[in-house]
């Protein structure tokens, strides 16, 4: 998967040599940890409110990189609200929890690495259903600048699973089809899909809802900084012999615990081709959101009714596979939910963070 790199940092000389006016230090110095906790709490609230001005105080109006960072948060809030309105839901709560992994302070600047664990709650408008929850996890690299004793965001980078153009959200039909399969259980022969789903939940990383102290499985290399970890994670889910689906490795699809994964294990297009041509999986449908969502002659209940937990979904842009997710279940209204890495997702609505130009392949794994 290609990560969406947000707000790439300026050269080091510029980061440490900003031209903000120097003012006399007040007696109170705001701790970095306090600033970051307030920042991410406010940004979480922006996702369910409609007032970007509530977070403007955390940014620098005269610094372009800071302006970009602010505009990104404003855009992701717009996207989430637009997506919600087209799906008939309303977000009612957002909770952020951060874990600082690296902190370097130098006079009036600070460089921070952290993980943000975000829980989002939504409800279906007009339906008497229980509130639904899902989680995302993001890794952030921030440069902060202190002005008059208070910290501000100078620049920021992170891979964001909610980063998309609000104007490109695909519109669904007025009535949602029955997307859940008629048969929810199967005899486990070669592929243990229920154990695969448990693996996907346990090792969903920084996302709210994940286990393992929000960390990846240490048995495997983390490919986040080598183009993305989504395919490596999907391979683990279906192939880990101890906790995952247990599909046997082959001469082309394998993981060597000292050397890493083969091309088919870690690369999106190679992994998809392996699944199909090796016979581990079968593409039951492919197309745009509109193609897969609506009922048709072939799929009277929609294409998703052909899938079961533990099946896979590809996300393709301009003919290339960009991302893999694992289908982990459905929400109370029958909407498909997925887990993935890069960014970390736990029971997230399957199309959240993608646009109307994205093409998908639904892959049913053979038991």
């Amino acid at each position: 998967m290609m990560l969406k790199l947000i707000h790439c940092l300026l050269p080091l000389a510029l980061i440490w040599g900003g031209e903000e006016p120097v003012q006399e230090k007040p007696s109170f110095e705001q701790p970095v940890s306090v600033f970051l906790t307030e920042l991410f709490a406010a940004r979480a609230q922006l996702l369910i409110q409609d007032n970007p001005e509530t977070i403007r105080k955390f940014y620098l109006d005269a610094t372009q990189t800071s302006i970009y960072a602010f505009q990104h948060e404003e855009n992701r809030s717009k996207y989430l609200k637009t997506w919600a309105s087209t799906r008939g839901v309303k977000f009612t709560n957002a909770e952020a929890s951060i874990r600082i992994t690296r902190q370097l302070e130098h006079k009036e600047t600070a460089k921070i690495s952290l993980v943000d664990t975000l829980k989002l709650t939504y409800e279906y408008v007009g339906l008497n259903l229980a509130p639904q929850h899902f989680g995302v996890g993001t890794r952030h690299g921030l440069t902060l600048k202190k002005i008059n004793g208070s910290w501000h965001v100078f620049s920021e980078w992170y891979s964001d699973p909610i980063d998309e153009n609000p104007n490109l959200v695909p519109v669904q039909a007025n009535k949602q089809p029955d997307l859940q399969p008629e048969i929810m259980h199967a005899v486990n022969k070669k592929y243990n899909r229920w154990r695969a789903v448990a693996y996907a939940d346990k090792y969903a990383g920084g996302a709210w809802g994940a286990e393992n102290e929000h960390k990846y499985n240490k048995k495997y290399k983390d490919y986040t900084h080598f183009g993305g970890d989504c395919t490596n994670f999907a391979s683990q889910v279906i192939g880990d012999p101890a906790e995952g689906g247990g599909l046997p490795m082959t001469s082309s699809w394998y993981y060597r615990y000292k050397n890493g994964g083969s091309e088919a294990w870690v690369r999106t297009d190679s992994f998809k081709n392996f699944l199909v041509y090796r016979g581990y999986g079968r593409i039951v449908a492919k197309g745009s959101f509109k193609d897969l969502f609506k009922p048709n002659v072939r799929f009277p209940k929609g294409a998703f009714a052909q899938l079961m937990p533990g099946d896979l979904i590809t996300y393709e842009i301009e003919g290339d596979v960009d991302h893999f997710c694992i289908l982990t279940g459905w929400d109370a209204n029958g909407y498909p939910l997925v887990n993935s890495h890069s960014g970390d997702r736990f029971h997230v609505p399957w199309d959240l963070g993608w646009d109307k130009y994205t093409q998908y392949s639904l892959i049913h794994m053979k038991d």
Side-chain angles (χ1 to χ4, degrees):
M1 172 191 175
M2 297 176 61
L3 294 180
K4 300 174 181 179
L5 303 182
I6 308 302
H7 319 313
C8 293
L9 302 182
L10 293 179
L12 189 60
L14 294 180
I15 291 175
W16 295 111
E19 298 298 329
E20 297 294 335
V22 177
Q23 301 185 33
E24 183 179 350
K25 274 190 174 183
S27 58
F28 171 73
E29 292 285 335
Q30 183 187 37
V32 168
S33 60
V34 172
F35 168 78
L36 291 170
T37 299
E38 293 178 354
L39 169 68
F40 281 85
R43 290 189 348 187
Q45 292 308 302
L46 177 60
L47 294 175
I48 61 173
Q49 299 171 353
D50 193 22
N51 185 10
E53 295 304 312
T54 58
I55 67 166
R56 189 179 291 276
K57 65 180 180 180
F58 298 105
Y59 298 87
L60 299 168
D61 291 335
T63 302
Q64 193 61 53
T65 52
S66 187
I67 295 172
Y68 288 153
F70 169 80
Q71 290 174 340
H72 173 70
E73 300 307 317
E74 183 179 25
N75 184 78
R76 76 198 298 254
S77 176
K78 289 180 181 178
Y79 169 78
L80 196 64
K81 292 178 180 61
T82 303
W83 179 90
S85 67
T86 63
R87 303 295 176 263
V89 305
K90 178 182 179 181
F91 284 94
T92 58
N93 194 38
E95 304 172 20
S97 174
I98 64 170
R99 175 170 55 89
I100 298 174
T101 59
R102 182 173 176 268
Q103 178 174 330
L104 295 175
E105 292 188 45
H106 180 74
K107 295 182 180 179
E108 304 300 305
T109 58
K111 294 179 70 66
I112 306 295
S113 297
L114 63 80
V115 177
D116 178 31
T117 296
L118 180 65
K119 176 184 178 182
L120 287 164
T121 301
Y122 64 94
E123 298 178 358
Y124 279 92
V125 178
L127 298 179
N128 187 24
L129 299 173
Q132 307 297 297
H133 315 284
F134 67 86
V136 297
T138 46
R139 306 183 195 184
H140 298 248
L142 301 100
T143 298
L144 309 180
K145 193 169 185 64
K146 188 186 294 182
I147 304 294
N148 197 28
S150 296
W151 292 104
H152 299 79
V153 176
F154 181 85
S155 60
E156 181 174 10
W157 170 95
Y158 67 106
S159 57
D160 182 8
I162 313 178
D163 173 41
E164 192 47 78
N165 187 337
N167 299 317
L168 298 181
V169 177
V171 178
Q172 70 183 50
N174 292 330
K175 185 179 184 303
Q176 177 171 299
D178 181 5
L179 300 177
Q180 297 194 49
E182 295 180 0
I183 301 175
M184 291 293 294
H185 299 282
V187 177
N188 293 311
K189 298 178 181 178
K190 187 189 305 182
Y191 179 50
N192 190 324
R193 61 177 63 250
W194 313 111
R195 203 168 65 176
V197 170
Y199 187 101
D201 284 349
K202 179 177 180 179
Y203 295 111
W208 172 87
E211 303 170 26
N212 198 45
E213 298 180 337
H214 294 290
K215 298 177 182 178
Y216 292 177
N217 190 339
K218 291 184 178 180
K219 291 188 347 185
Y220 298 93
K221 182 178 179 180
D222 180 358
Y223 284 84
T224 298
H225 298 294
F226 298 92
D229 197 62
C230 66
T231 310
N232 178 40
F233 182 55
S235 289
Q236 293 172 39
V237 167
I238 69 171
D240 185 89
E243 300 179 81
L247 284 174
M249 298 181 191
T250 71
S251 59
S252 61
W253 178 71
Y254 60 83
Y255 188 90
R256 300 288 183 259
Y257 297 108
K258 291 185 179 180
N259 300 320
S262 65
E263 180 173 329
W265 185 278
V266 300
R267 292 188 177 275
T268 52
D269 289 283
S270 298
F271 181 52
K272 177 186 176 182
N273 291 336
F274 166 79
L275 292 173
V276 175
Y277 294 118
R278 181 63 172 78
Y280 277 12
R282 173 176 61 89
I283 298 177
V284 298
K286 57 184 178 181
S288 66
F289 174 91
K290 183 179 179 180
D291 297 329
L292 299 180
F293 194 86
K294 67 180 181 180
N296 54 43
V297 175
R298 184 183 178 192
F299 303 120
K301 294 188 176 182
F304 271 94
Q306 305 299 307
L307 297 189
M308 299 175 65
D311 287 338
L312 302 177
I313 304 173
T314 71
Y315 298 73
E316 303 173 21
I317 299 175
E318 297 181 351
D320 292 325
V321 181
D322 190 65
H323 188 60
F324 262 97
C325 279
I326 299 93
L327 181 68
T328 48
W330 292 263
D331 71 8
N333 196 38
Y335 206 78
L337 306 175
V338 297
N339 287 22
S340 74
H341 281 182
S342 302
D344 298 344
R345 296 170 173 86
F346 179 90
H347 293 202
V348 173
W350 73 282
D351 66 303
L352 183 65
W354 303 92
D355 64 29
K356 64 183 181 181
Y357 298 116
T358 306
Q359 297 290 304
Y360 309 87
S361 291
L362 308 185
I363 301 177
H364 176 66
M365 301 299 296
K366 295 182 180 179
D367 294 280

